[in-house]
Amino acid sequence: MIHILSREDVRQALPMHQAIETVKGAFAQLSTGQADVPLRLALNVPRHNGVTLLMPAYLRTDEQMAIKIVSVFHENPAQGLPLIHALVVVVDATTGRPAAIMDGIYLTALRTGAASGAATDLLARQDTHIAAIFGAGAQGRTQLEAVCAVRPIQEAWVYDKEPARAAAYADEMSQRLSLPVRVAETPAEAVHRADVICTATTSSSAVFEDADVRPGTHINAVGAYTPEMQEIPVETVLRAKVVIDHREASLAEAGDLLIPLKQGLITEDHIYAELGEIAAGLKPGRASPEEITFFKSVGVAVQDVAAAGAVLEAARRLNLGSEVAL
């Protein structure tokens, strides 16, 4: 028998505040040597402007194992299809038996938002009240939801290259979170008053200007996941305390860091810590109110494994989904 869980089942099983704590624990295991995480395998499909990623991981402390299959095909939105498709297979770590199959699209957005929520909780100032979101897609929604779960956000701004998407986002998120969400006409309008900035785009160049970033700002960048992609200005990277999700993955994939590294503007020593080191208490977080903190995430399979494990546990308790015989 194998448990089948839909997107709505996943949504009901794991609320954001619980996802944030779950991901914190996964990052702590990763940074203390309690996780086995091969670099994700990328199957490029240039003919259709897409890539399919295979992401396995095993959390030894929690005895959790899973693999995610996620595809990003950039021509999909023009065809009325989601940019991202994903599926997660949970494996019983004690027997190797496939235990569950669940929607990975919402899970990916949830765990990515939860990572930014964890980083915001560990790095942002306590008096963080204004958020700026770049990218009005599914990832941008969970980014704002996560930030609101850990800080008393009173106002948010959204910027997207497609104003209609931004307007729809603002209407939806204003109602969902009961706070004013405004559409920014320019990146500068979104950034210049923000206490926390989240970028969730597929950009190949910086999405805002460094000069607009105030001292004390916290930044979560989750969109640039290849060496060629970039969301954050190099100048901002240079003056920020840089925290990453996984050193090996970041140095292989994070264009926001690899571009200044290749230009000789920073060295690997500019990376202050993995987020799990801070979550585990091995290193302190923010050092001063004026410090700019920058969390760069390329996504690590431990997030999916921990989130999927929590979803399956809750689904069994709440009688969500269905069981089928293979």
Side-chain angles (χ1 to χ4, degrees):
M1 303 297 291
I2 190 164
H3 213 115
I4 308 295
L5 296 163
S6 70
R7 185 179 311 183
E8 186 56 34
D9 293 330
V10 174
R11 188 187 301 273
Q12 290 184 46
L14 189 60
M16 180 59 78
H17 68 276
Q18 183 181 346
I20 290 171
E21 294 307 311
T22 297
V23 165
K24 272 187 191 177
F27 280 136
Q29 289 181 65
L30 177 65
S31 295
T32 55
Q34 297 303 307
D36 294 326
V37 193
L39 275 178
R40 60 187 169 197
L41 174 64
L43 300 174
N44 291 296
V45 189
R47 182 177 179 180
H48 299 289
N49 195 16
V51 61
T52 294
L53 307 169
L54 307 179
M55 301 174 61
Y58 169 47
L59 294 172
R60 292 188 222 135
T61 301
D62 293 341
E63 285 209 327
Q64 293 178 331
M65 186 187 302
I67 181 168
K68 184 173 75 173
I69 305 168
V70 56
S71 296
V72 183
F73 277 58
H74 294 281
E75 295 175 7
N76 279 5
Q79 303 175 55
L81 297 172
L83 172 68
I84 297 173
H85 290 279
L87 190 71
V88 177
V89 179
V90 178
V91 178
D92 186 323
T94 65
T95 66
R97 178 183 65 86
I101 297 173
M102 66 185 69
D103 168 73
I105 298 177
Y106 178 71
L107 186 82
T108 298
L110 175 66
R111 63 78 148 159
T112 305
S116 291
T120 301
D121 196 29
L122 293 168
L123 294 168
R125 299 191 326 268
Q126 292 297 321
D127 61 343
T128 291
H129 299 304
I130 300 177
I133 309 296
F134 284 80
Q139 298 282 359
R141 284 164 166 76
T142 55
Q143 290 293 304
L144 181 56
E145 183 183 355
V147 168
C148 289
V150 297
R151 288 295 184 271
I153 301 299
Q154 300 172 359
E155 177 184 355
W157 291 82
V158 59
Y159 178 82
D160 194 283
K161 288 184 176 181
E162 298 183 25
R165 276 166 47 95
Y169 175 103
D171 289 343
E172 177 188 334
M173 299 306 290
S174 293
Q175 294 182 40
R176 185 190 300 182
L177 299 174
S178 300
L179 68 121
V181 180
R182 299 182 170 88
V183 176
E185 294 185 4
T186 65
E189 186 177 19
V191 168
H192 80 281
R193 293 177 58 233
D195 302 309
V196 58
I197 301 167
C198 299
T199 61
T201 75
T202 56
S203 179
S204 58
S205 60
V207 298
F208 56 79
E209 298 290 336
D210 172 67
D212 295 320
V213 180
R214 300 185 306 157
T217 301
H218 173 67
I219 302 168
N220 299 306
V222 305
Y225 54 88
T226 72
E228 299 76 27
M229 298 173 75
Q230 182 183 24
E231 294 184 303
I232 309 304
V234 168
E235 297 84 357
T236 304
V237 176
L238 294 180
R239 64 188 181 113
K241 172 180 279 184
V242 176
V243 177
I244 56 176
D245 49 9
H246 186 209
R247 182 174 291 270
E248 185 179 9
S250 294
L251 292 175
E253 300 171 343
D256 283 318
L257 302 178
L258 292 174
I259 289 170
L261 276 167
K262 290 178 180 177
Q263 292 174 346
L265 299 174
I266 63 171
T267 67
E268 293 182 13
D269 290 339
H270 190 67
I271 297 171
Y272 169 70
E274 290 184 343
L275 188 64
E277 294 178 274
I278 299 173
L282 302 178
K283 288 187 177 182
R286 172 174 289 274
S288 73
E290 295 77 25
E291 186 175 45
I292 294 174
T293 51
F294 170 38
F295 173 58
K296 176 58 200 169
S297 174
V298 293
V300 188
V302 296
Q303 299 166 250
D304 303 295
V305 172
V311 165
L312 182 56
E313 180 182 351
R316 287 169 171 163
R317 186 176 67 251
L318 301 172
N319 293 317
L320 297 173
S322 58
E323 289 195 339
V324 300
L326 294 180

